[in-house]
Amino acid sequence: MQNTQHILMIRPVRFISNPQTQSSNAFQRTDITFVSPEVAAMNEFDAYVAKLRAAGMDVTVIDDTPLPHTPDSIFPNNWVSFHENGTVVLYPMQAENRRQERRQDILAQIGKRFDVRQVLDLSRFELDGKYHEGTGVMVLDHVHKIAYVCRASRSHPEVMAAFSAHLGYQAFWFDAVDSTGRPIYHTNVMMGVGRTLAVVCLESIHDLAQRQQLVQKLTDSGKVILPISYTQMNAFAGNVMELQNPAGEAVLALSTQAWDALSDEQQQLVRQYTIPVTADLHTIETLGGGGARCMIAEIFLPLKTAADNDHAFSPVMATHH
């Protein structure tokens, strides 16, 4: 199954531009001053959740905690992923203050409604300085078991291999850079893959052979490619998340900025394959350097039945110091 209607979102409490991630995230803007960014981010978050729920999504919202201060907690897809076979995966994070986003109580709350059968804790790789930030660095084609990954300081072949060994995804590695030549920190800002539609900033892949291989891989797996430009990528048009509503229709979550950056023809193509749902995420995108897709952790876990509650699984996270 490529898309789900069940998602986890973390409501921000002390949202700011994270100083620990600025060196590798060129999408973060620190030269802009916002009045009360915490309040603005909370308002944007609540409005986005309301729009997703109105579109038929089942959104589990969990509040961030004031302490420890985790300014990027609004982007849970980097530290956790939830899979159809009942596996929860925890990931090694580059920024130290992002490691504290991994919370036992969040897993316990998810485990009340969904059937968690095992926890694959890859966070141990942090001890060796090997980072691989979840579905930020992996754009997953669940149907064909392909993980699209661009090389960066936040993705690592060894962690990818451990993920693949447990979940059976084949990694497709490539190099993507921004318009200044810096490696793109997370694959999901330059591409998004849905059931049919694949949004990709092809011009960020300077190696033409790699670019052609990526196009071929997507085409071979039945995808229709919507190429976006650097300008559109910088407006978060690649940071999109395809979900599905209760009727089984594809819904594309993206920011207003991302939608407005697309041409009429591109918007028409999006509408041909999905129902777009847009939200104003200006503060979050500008200060956080992540957008509509980063804010969503998809839940593919099976829903619990009454019988499942008789043998509840209590997920336990390892602690690393």
Side-chain angles (χ1 to χ4, degrees):
M1 184 167 69
Q2 182 60 28
N3 301 339
T4 179
Q5 72 182 90
H6 307 291
I7 58 177
L8 165 69
M9 297 178 71
I10 307 295
R11 192 169 189 262
V13 172
R14 296 172 62 196
F15 178 81
I16 58 164
S17 188
N18 187 354
Q20 292 190 20
T21 57
Q22 283 163 11
S23 63
S24 61
N25 182 352
F27 289 77
Q28 272 177 267
R29 295 283 301 278
T30 54
D31 56 341
I32 297 174
T33 305
F34 281 79
V35 179
S36 305
E38 306 95 329
V39 176
M42 248 191 260
N43 290 340
E44 288 175 4
F45 177 90
D46 291 342
Y48 185 25
V49 169
K51 285 201 163 189
L52 289 168
R53 284 178 171 158
M57 299 309 118
D58 168 38
V59 190
T60 298
V61 173
I62 297 178
D63 284 312
D64 186 19
T65 52
L67 291 172
H69 185 201
T70 49
D72 281 333
S73 59
I74 197 169
F75 306 131
N77 78 305
N78 300 147
W79 69 264
V80 67
S81 61
F82 307 98
H83 299 268
E84 267 187 279
N85 66 354
T87 302
V88 173
V89 186
L90 305 175
Y91 296 95
M93 308 289 285
Q94 186 177 51
E96 284 189 28
N97 63 8
R98 295 215 61 190
R99 298 169 192 176
Q100 295 172 312
E101 293 173 32
R102 294 189 296 256
R103 282 166 48 193
Q104 183 70 49
D105 64 303
I106 291 176
L107 298 192
Q109 197 158 329
I110 294 294
K112 287 177 185 174
R113 281 191 65 208
F114 298 91
D115 188 7
V116 177
R117 294 167 194 168
Q118 63 168 334
V119 176
L120 173 62
D121 190 350
L122 301 175
S123 64
R124 65 183 184 277
F125 282 98
E126 283 166 0
L127 303 172
D128 301 319
K130 296 166 183 173
Y131 314 117
H132 198 73
E133 298 184 342
T135 54
V137 296
M138 298 183 296
V139 171
L140 300 176
D141 178 338
H142 299 290
V143 175
H144 299 94
K145 293 282 188 178
I146 303 165
Y148 295 97
V149 199
C150 60
R151 293 180 184 87
S153 62
R154 303 200 203 181
S155 58
H156 200 280
E158 275 185 53
V159 194
M160 184 67 236
F163 175 87
S164 295
H166 280 84
L167 288 147
Y169 286 76
Q170 174 202 21
F172 184 93
W173 288 88
F174 59 95
D175 299 285
V177 295
D178 64 22
S179 50
T180 66
R182 288 175 63 180
I184 288 174
Y185 80 110
H186 277 166
T187 315
N188 76 2
V189 295
M190 56 76 63
M191 75 181 289
V193 172
R195 274 185 217 160
T196 308
L197 196 64
V199 181
V200 195
C201 181
L202 292 172
E203 64 181 77
S204 70
I205 305 168
H206 289 192
D207 183 314
L208 296 181
Q210 280 190 21
R211 188 189 297 184
Q212 184 51 43
Q213 286 162 1
L214 177 63
V215 168
Q216 195 65 53
K217 193 78 171 171
L218 289 166
T219 307
D220 288 348
S221 55
K223 304 305 175 195
V224 172
I225 298 173
L226 169 57
I228 57 171
S229 66
Y230 266 134
T231 305
Q232 292 171 326
M233 180 185 78
N234 291 335
F236 292 91
N239 195 236
V240 298
M241 178 79 267
E242 197 175 295
L243 302 164
Q244 75 176 28
N245 64 20
E249 298 165 311
V251 170
L252 192 72
L254 72 169
S255 71
T256 308
Q257 180 187 201
W259 179 251
D260 291 346
L262 299 176
S263 69
D264 291 346
E265 292 77 15
Q266 287 172 316
Q267 289 182 355
Q268 203 174 333
L269 189 64
V270 169
R271 283 201 176 100
Q272 191 178 330
Y273 295 103
T274 71
I275 301 164
V277 173
T278 63
D280 177 11
L281 303 173
H282 180 63
T283 312
I284 295 163
E285 288 177 328
T286 306
L287 295 179
R293 192 277 167 265
C294 299
M295 294 168 68
I296 293 172
E298 306 142 280
I299 304 173
F300 288 97
L301 299 167
L303 276 163
K304 274 189 169 176
T305 61
D308 289 328
N309 290 317
D310 298 336
H311 51 88
F313 177 87
S314 183
V316 177
M317 283 169 27
T319 51
H320 303 297
H321 302 288

